[in-house]
Amino acid sequence: MFGDNHLIVVDLGFGDAGKGATVDWLCSPAAGLDVAAVVRFNGGAQAAHNVLAHGRHHTFRQFGSGTLSRVPTLLSRHMLVEPLALASEARELAALGIADPLSLLYVDERALLTTPIHGAANRCREDARGTSRHGSCGIGIGETASYALDHDAPRVADCLRPEVLRRKLIALEEHYAPLLAGSRHRYDPIDDLVEAYTAFARAVAILPGDQLAAFANTGRLVFEGAQGVLLDEWRGMHPYTTWSTVEPRNAHAMLARIGAPGYVLGVTRAYMTRHGAGPFPTEDPALSIPERHNGTGEYQGAFRLGHLDPLLLRYAIDACEGIDGLAVNHLDAVGEIRTATGYLTEEGCVDRLECGVWQDLEHQQALTDLLNAATPALTDLPDDVPAYLEAELGAPVVLTAHGPDRADRTLRIPAQA
């Protein structure tokens, strides 16, 4: 099915499509893929990849979703690493019976550090936006990325150099002091952060630069994306986006450096979801689909449901410059779901969304405006949803799920294979 390719798992929606459960299955003994490592190639501690396997549930945030099968995790240079949250997640995994989870963790020294200072600043800005919030998780991902554009930002390597780390944290604190003055948001003292981060450096393997080839030499790599392509910093619907490159260009670049092939597996639900603010043409408040692991967050906003939208999925595939296969989740919940055939707008019927050139935020804002004003033309969803999506999206459905557990996933041989 996948040949000798390494796998790149990408969410084609707004997030919450089931990337974690997909990666968990790919890493499980049932898949038989001999996975050497899960590589996290974007995002940070704001991820929430829910995995249910044989009665064990965990929400993966920074650890790779193959950890329940004891597959190591490589946090690449493109990750934003939050050591305090990692320590907490390690304790949760240990409580599930994963012995010494931190021994399964490898971290590129060039990765940026997300600190409680970034998080406090993030929440302060969202508070100031009031009802115009962008839908942040409030962890500080955007602040981490934006601060690093113009400053000597803290990185994982600095956890090995306490005095350098202290200097950078003091500079970070001074930078955000005017914003945080008088706010309700607090963070740990610098001395406590330095102590915690140096302990983190003693507990995990910090790698000097790109060590991807060493992992690839021992087996297959699974690249686990975070968020969804429709939230991508340059391809998402501006300004309701993440400060992260969600589409797979960074994963492709990492593989190109070691001369290795990649297979892009696009993940979608059989319907659409969105967490928080932003355009959502097929949203239907009348839909009633139970959601155990997603709810309303103070900063993220409400969890929203909508009908299947091939237009948005095709757009996401174009933003990825094509995919090789599809994983379709939540096929057990399609009873009320319909599908969009186009959008009715003031300019007429729209049946395709154009990507435009990369890094053109004016184009992305125009897409946001279009989608905010669009009314979807809906029709009944065919009984054979995988075959329908293959025809609509031009990619084979290779993995399906009819429930939340690892055992609910089935490898599918496409009709054209």
Side-chain angles (χ1 to χ4, degrees):
M1 177 71 73
F2 303 119
D4 295 327
N5 294 287
H6 302 290
L7 302 178
I8 304 172
V9 178
V10 180
D11 188 318
L12 298 177
F14 295 104
D16 302 301
K19 296 179 296 300
T22 300
V23 169
D24 169 74
W25 186 87
L26 293 171
C27 294
S28 70
L33 294 178
D34 188 27
V35 177
V38 171
V39 183
R40 297 295 303 274
F41 67 90
N42 77 295
Q46 89 278 39
H49 297 177
N50 284 287
V51 170
L52 182 64
H54 308 306
R56 293 191 296 179
H57 168 256
H58 180 69
T59 301
F60 285 95
R61 300 190 181 279
Q62 293 177 89
F63 277 85
S65 295
T67 304
L68 295 184
S69 297
R70 292 202 63 82
V71 172
T73 297
L74 171 60
L75 302 184
S76 75
R77 64 176 298 185
H78 303 292
M79 272 286 288
L80 308 180
V81 177
E82 212 285 45
L84 303 182
L86 264 173
S88 176
E89 187 173 356
R91 290 191 292 270
E92 294 172 4
L93 287 164
L96 290 176
I98 306 301
D100 193 11
L102 290 175
S103 70
L104 298 172
L105 194 63
Y106 298 82
V107 189
D108 190 311
E109 67 176 5
R110 298 167 293 180
L112 291 167
L113 285 177
T114 294
T115 73
I117 303 172
H118 294 107
N122 177 186
R123 296 188 293 275
C124 191
R125 289 196 204 279
E126 284 290 270
D127 286 347
R129 291 187 177 111
T131 58
S132 299
R133 286 180 178 179
H134 292 173
S136 167
C137 292
I139 293 173
I141 301 303
E143 297 298 335
T144 304
S146 61
Y147 180 83
L149 293 176
D150 300 311
H151 302 85
D152 186 13
R155 295 182 182 271
V156 167
D158 300 324
C159 296
L160 297 166
R161 306 176 295 177
E163 291 313 309
V164 173
L165 177 63
R166 185 185 306 277
R167 171 177 57 79
K168 289 188 176 184
L169 290 175
I170 290 172
L172 181 69
E173 182 178 52
E174 292 175 347
H175 173 79
Y176 281 117
L179 173 65
L180 294 174
S183 83
R184 63 189 176 95
H185 302 293
R186 300 290 181 265
Y187 53 85
D188 302 321
I190 297 296
D191 286 346
D192 291 352
L193 291 177
V194 171
E195 181 179 353
Y197 291 173
T198 53
F200 163 76
R202 292 191 297 269
V204 304
I206 295 178
L207 303 181
D210 200 340
Q211 303 291 312
L212 197 67
F215 288 94
N217 286 338
T218 64
R220 194 188 302 265
L221 303 176
V222 174
F223 289 77
E224 181 177 0
Q227 295 78 56
V229 172
L230 300 178
L231 298 176
D232 182 272
E233 59 185 333
W234 297 113
R235 293 302 195 182
M237 307 308 152
H238 183 73
Y240 304 99
T241 56
T242 180
W243 281 69
S244 179
T245 298
V246 181
E247 46 90 349
R249 71 178 57 236
N250 287 335
H252 281 309
M254 294 170 71
L255 286 172
R257 285 194 289 272
I258 64 172
Y263 178 109
V264 179
L265 181 62
V267 182
T268 180
R269 294 193 186 210
Y271 53 96
M272 308 301 288
T273 68
R274 177 157 201 163
H275 224 143
F280 190 1
T282 63
E283 181 177 15
D284 185 350
L287 289 176
S288 177
I289 301 174
E291 189 70 33
R292 288 182 59 191
H293 302 124
N294 285 296
T296 298
E298 179 181 0
Y299 290 94
Q300 197 173 15
F303 189 71
R304 303 154 66 190
L305 299 173
H307 299 282
L308 188 60
D309 192 337
L311 285 78
L312 283 179
L313 295 175
R314 281 196 294 268
Y315 171 85
I317 291 171
D318 289 346
C320 293
E321 297 186 352
I323 63 172
D324 299 293
L326 283 161
V328 182
N329 295 317
H330 297 267
L331 284 165
D332 56 318
V334 297
E336 303 175 66
I337 300 302
R338 307 185 77 198
T339 184
T341 58
Y343 303 140
L344 304 178
T345 74
E346 291 182 354
E347 299 175 2
C349 185
V350 172
D351 60 8
R352 191 167 190 93
L353 301 174
E354 299 298 331
C355 265
V357 299
W358 189 51
Q359 296 187 330
D360 181 356
L361 291 184
E362 289 187 6
H363 178 77
Q364 301 311 119
Q365 181 67 65
L367 283 177
T368 296
D369 295 340
L370 172 70
L371 295 177
N372 275 332
T375 300
L378 298 173
T379 190
D380 291 340
L381 185 64
D383 292 336
D384 190 342
V385 177
Y388 170 72
L389 284 172
E390 286 180 339
E392 287 291 315
L393 305 182
V397 174
V398 298
L399 187 64
T400 59
H402 287 78
D405 196 272
R406 181 190 292 172
D408 296 321
R409 281 162 174 75
T410 304
L411 193 64
R412 179 178 182 272
I413 306 299
Q416 64 266 39

